[in-house]
Each structure stands twice: as structure tokens, then as C-alpha cells.
Amino acid sequence: MNHLHNIPNYTGGKFIAPNSGQYLENFEPATGQIYSYIPDSDENDVNQAVLAAQKAFPMWSSMSNEDRSAWMIKIADKIEERLEEFAAAESKDNGKPITLAASMDIPRAISNFKFFAHALTQFSSESHYMQGVGVNYTLRQPLGVVGCISPWNLPLYLLTWKIAPALAAGNTVVCKPSEVTPYTAYLLSEICQEIGLPEGVLNFVHGLGPKVGEAMCVHSDIVAISFTGGTATGKRIASVAAPMFKKLSLELGGKNPNIIFSDCNYDEMISSTVRSSFSNQGQICLCGSRIFVERSIYKKFKTDFVEKVSKLHVGDPKDEKTKTGAVVSEAHMNKVLSYIELAKSEGGQILSGGHRVLLAGRCANGWFISPTVIEGLSFDCRTNQEEIFGPVVTITPFDTEEEVLMFANSTQYGLSATIWTENLSRAHRMAEKLHSGIVWINCWLVRDLRTPFGGVKASGVGREGGMEALHFFTEAKNVCIKY
Ligand code: NDP
């Protein structure tokens, strides 16, 4: 094994090998080749990381806001200095186009640290005056050692979306990046060491969910878990952590509707819809995988959309022309392909894509799927109800607002929804009635980090973003003073 490619854990400010001495293979999706090894950690590694984080907590939580903020800015600046290296690593590890990693993933990771570094200096708590009696004030205190568990689709982006508010609020952190995409988390741990972040403040334990993630969830000294990932995993985590009365934030799966009315700004809608369908190979929890189109423009939409989709260049993620890279793993590719077969068996017609793409040269063994558009399915079939999480969308005509609301709200999920219409009253009416945590009107993935982020129903519990995240990572204590 090449030592340079053995990713270590980072605990108590030190790079260390896993206690088991065992490693897992880490693949480059574009080539299907192993290119590094990651620790196959277990509960012993988690225990060690928790001890380091506990030791660091009194110092970190009592540090002035200005000083904590300065540490976080230092981290952000260092990522920014190494943006190209981080983007190349994210693209290699995940299969996403390098241009996407450089324009979205890594800049957002930088913004996450900067945003919460600034937010913490503006954080304040409430006071409730009782006329003639006294006054209450709310203390918002850090929780202690918290656990952050993140998925593979936006590896550094989502990991830092948790770490940054947790640290800002004065907690110390044990995190577990996805086993499938550990590399940029490792680069982040390099930065922590390089800048001399006090040891134990931020600890990285790499490895498998059922081993490392589970050990974090059952650890009695990890008092909160912030998790983003699949609904089934979220359910498992809740069943373990809830009886221990841990604070839980669960950001889970989605099956988001994209609702297109005939009065929309057509050109803007169609280019956004290509993005909201296939960005990151459709592996964004916010992608609109169910496209509902008002019947009067359905035929035109179908022709124009399929034409645009068929031009999306599937290729080597390293190539700057590539719009669609590899999906994250062989297992995931097979899962997505099996859903395409399911769609066919349910009566769906493939209008574009529908198959694996075999590229030549370096990527000959890579895991690529051509962007797929399917029509002719009922709103309640499995293809339209279950999360596929790949470059696959369905298109379905609708006649009335009532009908499309019923279609949109028919799944167990409720993460996000998009509406395209120039009719303001209709937009508000629909936004109110959609069962989802986020509604975009005439846009997609426009993000203001101050806003509440999260889903309803099987898409999760709790909200991230802005003050919501700082509230999650602190405990409110009311102090009542009688005159
Ligand atoms: P998973 O649920 O499989 O994994 C997420 C993380 O949890 C990984 O780090 C995983 O480790 C870990 N994990 C797995 N089992 C356990 C366990 N028993 N206890 C603790 N941790 C565990 O999700 P994916 O990585 O496959 O990500 C895709 C999913 O994430 C999709 O459903 C998508 O919708 C959702 N998602 C939701 C978002 C939101 O904001 N709502 C945003 C982005 C994605 P390991 O890697 O070893 O399996």
C-alpha cells in the first residue's frame, strides 16, 4: 500500500492510524480504480476522538467570540488559497465535473466557514420583560461534544455546513465524512493542523456508517447529532439516539416536484430545469426529479427539453467541457440503472438516455449514466414515489392547480419544490399548499445562508442555516429575575 495514499484519522490535533490497523478502498468513480485507502475505524477511534474533544471543550467554549471567529476565518482563507487543489480532489473523489467543484462545492465550503464566523459575532439571545414583576433572559450555551455525519453527494459543502455552526456556537466536534468521499475532509484536517487549530476542537474519524457513525450515535458523551443522508439511515439514527435524548437534526432524502405553468418565463425555466434535473448527475437532494408540465405547453416542453438534455456532454470530470460526470460508485450506478428498468416495467417511455455510458481511454471503466428523461408514468408508481438520486427525471402533464398539488404532495418526502409561473397570486397560493420545507419560485438552488433549510415528512426533522443552526447547536436556558 502506498503510504502517501493512506488517509489518516485526525484526533486531538494528530494524524493517526485506525486502532484496527485496517483500511478500506477508496475509488475514483471516473476510472473505477482504487486511488487511496481510508481508515476502517471503529468505536475505539470514536472514543479517542470524543476524549480529545471533551478535553478541548472548556477552552474552546470559553474563548471570546472574536477569537473563535478568527480561527474560522483562518480555515476559510486556507481553503480559498488551495481552492484548485480542493476542487480537483472533490472531483476525483466524487466523479463530479471539476468545473462544478470549483464553482459550487469548494466556494460554498469557504462561505460556510465565513458565514458562521461572522454570524457568531452577531449572535444574541432574547430577553422577556414582565411588567412589574421582573425580567427573563435566555442564555444560549454550547452543548459540549457534538457529532456531524455527512453524505457523499456534496462532500465538503455539507460537512462544513454542519461543522461551521457547531464550532461557531462553542462546541467541539467529532465528524464522520462519507466513507465514499473522504478526501476533501482529509485536506481540511491538514488545514486544521497547518494553522494550529487548538487540538481536539475538530476531530475526523473516517470509516463505515454502521461502525463509526453508529458508535457516534450511541456514545453517551456525544450530546447532539447533526446528520445528512438517506431516510432509512436517518430512521436508524433516530431509533438509537432519540431514546438517549440527544439533540437531533436530520436532513434526509427528497423526491422534489418541479411544477411548470404555461405562463412561465419559458427560456429561463427550460435552462434552469436542465440544471435542476441533472446538476451533479442528479445527485443533489434538491434536484427536481418529478417534472409536472401544464398540458397546453407539454409537447413543446418535451421537444425542447429532450433536445437540450441530449446535448449534455457526458465525459471525464477533469475535462472543463464536461457537464455530466460519473455517478459516485458502482453500487449507486447499478441502483440508478435498476430504477430505469423499473420505470420501463411500469410503462415509462425513455425519451433520452436510459443507459450506462462507456467512455474511451482513462475513463473506460468509469461509472457514467446518460441523463435520462422518462414519460408516460402515473404519479403514484414506484419510479415517481421513490428517491432515485441520479440523472433520471420523469415528465408528466397536468391540467389544474388542484391536480398538480395532489401529484406534488403525494410522496412520503417533502424537501423542496419549484414553481414556474408569472402569476403572483398562484405562486403564493401554491407555495402555501406545498408540503415541503423549501419552495423556489421562478428559480432553483438560489441560497441565502440565513434562511431555514430542511424538509418535512420523511425528508427530515429540524432546520439548518443561519440562526436555526446556532440555536440547534446551543441549549437555551431561561434565567428569571424577580425585582
Ligand atoms: P447515507 O444515509 O447512506 O449515508 C450518510 C452518512 O451516514 C454517511 O456518512 C454514512 O456512512 C453514514 N451512516 C450510514 N449508516 C449509519 C448508521 N447506522 N449510523 C450513523 N451513520 C451512518 O446517505 P448517502 O451518503 O447515500 O447520501 C445520499 C442521501 O443523502 C440521499 O438520500 C439524499 O437525498 C440525502 N441528502 C439529503 C440532503 C438534505 O439536505 N436533506 C442533502 C444531501 C443528501 P457511509 O458513507 O459509510 O455509508
Side-chain angles (χ1 to χ4, degrees):
M1 224 183 272
N2 182 343
H3 179 69
L4 281 180
H5 290 175
N6 276 8
I7 295 173
N9 285 329
Y10 181 71
T11 293
K14 294 183 185 57
F15 288 114
I16 51 175
N19 282 284
S20 67
Q22 300 298 309
Y23 285 82
L24 302 162
E25 293 165 337
N26 187 28
F27 291 87
E28 178 179 5
T31 62
Q33 305 298 314
I34 299 166
Y35 82 99
S36 61
Y37 294 88
I38 75 158
D40 184 7
S41 309
D42 58 28
E43 62 182 82
N44 296 315
D45 303 286
V46 172
N47 292 344
Q48 231 172 320
V50 172
L51 281 176
Q54 274 179 317
K55 212 166 143 201
F57 179 70
M59 171 277 304
W60 184 251
S61 56
S62 59
M63 186 182 278
S64 73
N65 285 350
E66 286 71 19
D67 287 348
R68 260 203 321 271
S69 174
W71 278 113
M72 294 178 59
I73 295 287
K74 263 191 211 168
I75 297 175
D77 288 345
K78 280 285 169 192
I79 304 176
E80 204 157 10
E81 271 175 31
R82 293 168 63 177
L83 193 146
E84 281 180 22
E85 178 195 353
F86 268 76
E90 200 72 295
S91 167
K92 182 169 190 164
D93 212 19
N94 171 279
K96 66 179 70 208
I98 191 159
T99 49
L100 187 70
S103 63
M104 181 179 79
D105 293 75
I106 309 305
R108 175 58 190 275
I110 297 164
S111 299
N112 288 340
F113 277 112
K114 285 192 177 160
F115 175 84
F116 282 107
H118 296 307
L120 97 100
T121 66
Q122 308 298 313
F123 192 39
S124 60
S125 59
E126 309 81 15
S127 160
H128 299 87
Y129 169 58
M130 298 164 81
Q131 212 168 21
V133 180
V135 68
N136 298 271
Y137 65 89
T138 309
L139 276 179
R140 292 200 178 266
Q141 297 172 299
L143 305 173
V145 179
V146 301
C148 299
I149 303 176
S150 57
W152 48 256
N153 64 325
L154 304 169
L156 194 68
Y157 172 140
L158 288 175
L159 183 68
T160 55
W161 183 230
K162 298 179 178 307
I163 290 173
L167 292 178
N171 304 284
T172 52
V173 174
V174 175
C175 71
K176 191 202 98 59
S178 169
E179 168 254 317
V180 190
T181 52
Y183 210 87
T184 47
Y186 160 63
L187 294 180
L188 178 60
S189 62
E190 268 189 6
I191 283 179
C192 295
Q193 195 176 59
E194 187 189 337
I195 64 170
L197 183 71
E199 57 189 49
V201 167
L202 178 55
N203 306 275
F204 296 75
V205 186
H206 294 276
L208 296 168
K211 261 195 204 170
V212 176
E214 187 101 1
M216 287 166 64
C217 295
V218 300
H219 200 299
S220 54
D221 294 324
I222 294 186
V223 292
I225 296 282
S226 174
F227 169 80
T228 298
T231 295
T233 316
K235 207 182 254 185
R236 169 76 200 153
I237 288 175
S239 75
V240 172
M244 298 175 77
F245 305 111
K246 293 187 189 219
K247 270 190 127 177
L248 274 178
S249 167
L250 302 172
E251 298 296 336
L252 312 176
K255 187 76 180 172
N256 311 307
N258 178 5
I259 302 169
I260 298 165
F261 286 95
S262 57
D263 67 352
C264 68
N265 177 331
Y266 190 84
D267 292 340
E268 225 178 293
M269 174 279 293
I270 202 123
S271 58
S272 281
T273 294
V274 173
R275 272 195 321 116
S276 67
S277 302
F278 298 113
S279 283
N280 206 38
Q281 297 71 250
Q283 301 166 134
I284 300 182
C285 52
L286 306 163
C287 278
S289 54
R290 294 180 297 149
I291 304 174
F292 299 113
V293 188
E294 197 166 7
R295 197 176 297 277
S296 57
I297 58 162
Y298 183 79
K299 266 199 186 137
K300 176 174 165 51
F301 171 82
K302 175 172 139 179
T303 310
D304 296 345
F305 184 59
V306 168
E307 193 198 327
K308 279 192 184 297
V309 173
S310 60
K311 285 188 189 140
L312 288 175
H313 176 66
V314 180
D316 188 342
K318 272 185 162 176
D319 182 344
E320 302 217 331
K321 288 196 302 293
T322 294
K323 289 274 183 262
T324 307
V327 296
V328 78
S329 67
E330 188 171 21
H332 191 58
M333 176 183 74
N334 290 333
K335 177 191 149 184
V336 174
L337 292 173
S338 78
Y339 267 104
I340 295 173
E341 289 310 309
L342 173 73
K344 287 185 201 161
S345 74
E346 289 183 319
Q349 287 107 52
I350 311 292
L351 303 176
S352 181
H355 52 81
R356 181 177 181 179
V357 177
L358 294 171
L359 298 176
R362 176 184 110 81
C363 297
N365 295 314
W367 304 314
F368 296 85
I369 298 178
S370 108
T372 300
V373 182
I374 307 172
E375 76 164 351
L377 289 168
S378 68
F379 75 94
D380 57 353
C381 68
R382 279 185 58 203
T383 309
N384 268 330
Q385 292 289 314
E386 297 176 16
E387 187 184 40
I388 301 174
F389 212 56
V392 179
V393 296
T394 62
I395 59 173
T396 308
F398 70 86
D399 292 300
T400 64
E401 254 177 68
E402 293 68 33
E403 183 186 41
V404 77
L405 266 173
M406 189 273 285
F407 290 170
N409 289 338
S410 68
T411 73
Q412 62 163 331
Y413 297 108
L415 187 54
S416 71
T418 300
I419 306 167
W420 290 95
T421 178
E422 292 292 296
N423 179 331
L424 197 58
S425 304
R426 169 153 63 202
H428 288 302
R429 220 167 29 235
M430 297 281 295
E432 228 178 84
K433 291 182 182 156
L434 280 163
H435 301 163
S436 62
I438 300 150
V439 178
W440 277 295
I441 296 169
N442 299 329
C443 59
W444 177 72
L445 204 49
V446 174
R447 293 282 291 119
D448 178 331
L449 302 190
R450 293 170 302 176
T451 59
F453 180 92
V456 300
K457 303 195 287 186
S459 289
V461 180
R463 292 291 179 271
E464 298 186 317
M467 290 300 144
E468 300 272 350
L470 292 176
H471 284 175
F472 173 76
F473 283 115
T474 51
E475 197 72 78
K477 181 190 287 176
N478 188 64
V479 181
C480 175
I481 310 161
K482 189 171 175 295
Y483 291 154

